[in-house]
Amino acid sequence: MTDGQKKAFPYIVATISLETQDDIEKTVQELNAHKDSIDIVEFRADTLKNTSIENINETLEKFKSAYYDAPILFTYRSVGQGGHGDFDHETYYKIMQDIICNKKAEYVDIQLDTYEDNLMNCITKAQHNDVKIIISHHDFKSTPDVEEMFVTYEKMAELGADIGKLAVMPQNERHLLSMLNAMNRAFHKLDIDVIGISMGELGKMTRITGGMFGSKFTYGFVGKEAAPGQIHVKDIKEQLALYQN
């Protein structure tokens, strides 16, 4: 593929939302049924009913022993960032360190609101362990202006992210253009990969068109929707294929 083609076709990330280890078998069946539509699997640790570090690790290992067709993106999303997680900063840092240092996932999502020293330590360890770091920020209330969003991407780049992810909530069509504009500017001006998503029903089109503006990943689901406006991975693949010729 040419660079232009790569931009138009982002990697499709399939988000899974396990509640217990009993969900693994069914989830793996669903992933296998749609394997042609999946490039990466996002393991959302915060959706587990038992979010002890021990159970997270055990569930992740059991999942990986049953499914090994795509790289794993490890995410623990806090309540303040739209997830279910209630870890304090130090426990959050502890699980991230463990996943990174023991190479339990190829990608790790770390929230921008993580204590900066902890975040920087994770990035340093990731560089030594060949783990890619996504620094993410989610705004479920609004879409900041283009300059503010670009500055957020700039901060992610300064911190050493491999990929900067920004997800915002649009209130009108202009907000979709603002997000795509900010992401495209970051794509061209910053030395990191970027992801940009407008959430909700109004923002669905950005999950299909985002690659044309520089988005490295687009997120879909198998099982059940994990974020407002998410689309099933099969539908993402089919809609992206319309642009292939």
Side-chain angles (χ1 to χ4, degrees):
M1 281 188 177
T2 66
D3 289 342
Q5 286 175 315
K6 287 179 182 178
K7 283 200 316 179
F9 299 101
Y11 292 114
I12 299 175
V13 179
T15 301
I16 60 170
S17 303
L18 303 176
E19 293 186 358
T20 70
Q21 293 179 17
D22 292 338
D23 296 332
I24 292 175
E25 182 178 355
K26 181 180 178 182
T27 299
V28 169
Q29 289 174 353
E30 291 172 341
L31 290 169
N32 288 336
H34 301 289
K35 62 182 180 181
D36 292 338
S37 302
I38 297 168
D39 298 302
I40 296 166
V41 172
E42 182 183 34
F43 180 92
R44 280 285 300 271
D46 58 289
T47 64
L48 292 168
K49 289 182 177 179
N50 176 359
T51 55
S52 68
I53 289 179
E54 294 75 18
N55 187 62
I56 288 173
N57 276 315
E58 185 177 332
T59 305
L60 177 58
E61 288 307 309
K62 285 188 175 181
F63 172 74
K64 288 171 62 179
S65 69
Y67 179 81
Y68 37 81
D69 283 344
I72 302 297
L73 162 58
F74 180 88
T75 300
Y76 181 94
R77 187 77 64 221
S78 71
V79 171
Q81 284 287 293
H84 304 278
D86 59 359
F87 281 168
D88 59 33
H89 283 281
E90 291 309 312
T91 307
Y92 179 84
Y93 176 51
K94 184 177 180 181
I95 185 65
M96 292 301 171
Q97 270 197 315
D98 179 44
I99 298 297
I100 292 167
C101 292
N102 292 294
K103 301 182 182 181
K104 296 179 179 179
E106 286 81 3
Y107 298 86
V108 173
D109 181 306
I110 301 182
Q111 296 172 175
L112 183 60
D113 62 2
T114 304
Y115 286 157
E116 191 164 313
D117 286 349
N118 290 350
L119 195 158
M120 295 298 291
N121 285 337
C122 284
I123 289 173
T124 299
K125 289 178 170 60
Q127 290 169 344
H128 290 147
N129 287 285
D130 197 27
V131 174
K132 299 296 184 184
I133 295 294
I134 300 171
I135 298 181
S136 66
H137 179 69
H138 294 67
D139 185 335
F140 283 83
K141 295 181 179 180
S142 65
T143 297
D145 63 34
V146 172
E147 185 62 29
E148 184 177 344
M149 287 189 282
F150 177 77
V151 168
T152 300
Y153 281 123
E154 202 169 35
K155 175 67 172 177
M156 294 169 177
E158 290 170 355
L159 289 168
D162 295 291
I163 306 171
K165 177 189 178 187
L166 184 59
V168 295
M169 186 63 74
Q171 303 301 324
N172 53 58
E173 293 84 355
R174 292 190 305 277
H175 286 167
L176 305 184
L177 296 175
S178 293
M179 190 283 294
L180 293 171
N181 187 354
M183 177 176 62
N184 187 248
R185 182 178 167 195
F187 172 76
H188 286 291
K189 291 184 175 293
L190 302 178
D191 192 25
I192 60 169
D193 289 316
V194 292
I195 299 166
I197 300 166
S198 286
M199 297 182 285
E201 288 298 311
L202 183 59
K204 275 187 173 182
M205 57 85 67
T206 66
R207 296 179 182 274
I208 304 301
T209 61
M212 298 177 185
F213 294 84
S215 193
K216 181 77 170 180
F217 294 170
T218 186
Y219 289 70
F221 71 91
V222 296
K224 59 184 178 180
E225 182 180 320
Q230 261 195 353
I231 304 169
H232 194 280
V233 292
K234 178 176 180 290
D235 295 327
I236 292 177
K237 183 73 171 182
E238 290 176 349
Q239 291 184 52
L240 286 175
L242 297 175
Y243 299 91
Q244 199 160 8
N245 296 319

